[in-house]
Amino acid sequence: MKRALAALVLAAGTVSAAEPLVTVGDVDLARYAGQWHEVAKYPNRFQQQCVGDTTATYALRDDGKVSVANRCRTRDGYEEVSGVARRVDGRTDRLQVSFLPAALRWLPFGWGDYWVIELAPDYRYAIVGEPSREYLWVLSRTPTLDDATWTSIDARIAAAGYDRAKVTRTPATAR
């Protein structure tokens, strides 16, 4: 049903950015855990120092939250930041993430929306955004994606109401 709806949206054109952002439904967080490579994003102020090889590693915690470790290559080496994600209204496709020090995470600010708006059935790629469509990330289990997969993802980004012209690919070096 969701695939049919997505095909209908793609055939009809793009969704207006004013329309509510649709998420994927239930995400198996145990399957989602592990390392993801950022293959594209909307440029943002908190990743300005990153020049490539950006990863996010997620791990389930005993308290139901998810540990987050983001790492990227900078001009001077590598930088890593750790945080935590929590479910929104018990949902697994709508999370909030904070990179504030643990002692400050009780504050009502410092949490950003992390909504899974596309997820491959085999969990090999994901598109993550948030309701205002100011932030967007394309994640993959591998550092790069084949052209056919990228073309499909690019179309889905537009269908979700994002401006494809703002998307930048994240450089990945061979490891």
Side-chain angles (χ1 to χ4, degrees), residues 1-14 159:
M1 177 67 173
K2 285 183 186 178
R3 294 280 176 223
L5 180 59
L8 180 62
V9 169
L10 286 172
T14 61

Side-chain angles (χ1 to χ4, degrees), residues 6 12 20 47 71 76 96 115 132 158 166:
Q47 286 184 278
R71 184 175 196 253
D76 301 320
Q96 289 183 323
W115 288 18
S132 70
K166 292 170 73 175

Side-chain angles (χ1 to χ4, degrees), residues 7 9-11 20 34 68 75 99 119-120 124 136 140 152:
V9 169
L10 286 172
V68 180
R75 287 183 179 83
F99 294 98
L119 182 61
R124 69 183 176 93
L136 176 77
S140 172
S152 174

Side-chain angles (χ1 to χ4, degrees), residues 126-141:
I127 303 172
V128 177
E130 48 74 52
S132 70
R133 293 177 175 85
E134 290 182 31
Y135 299 99
L136 176 77
W137 293 271
V138 178
L139 307 175
S140 172
R141 294 296 188 175

Side-chain angles (χ1 to χ4, degrees), residues 38-43 50-54 73 136 138 140 142-154 157 164-172:
E38 176 190 280
V39 295
K41 70 176 180 297
Y42 265 14
C50 298
V51 296
D53 300 320
T54 303
R73 182 172 43 86
L136 176 77
V138 178
S140 172
T142 58
T144 59
L145 293 169
D146 62 79
D147 290 340
T149 301
W150 175 254
T151 299
S152 174
I153 288 172
D154 190 46
I157 289 169
R164 292 176 10 208
K166 292 170 73 175
V167 176
T168 61
R169 300 289 292 268
T170 304

Side-chain angles (χ1 to χ4, degrees), residues 9 14 19 64 68-69 94 112 117 122 125 130 132 156:
V9 169
T14 61
E19 293 182 38
V68 180
R94 294 184 181 183
I117 60 175
D122 61 1
Y125 70 82
E130 48 74 52
S132 70
R156 285 174 165 68

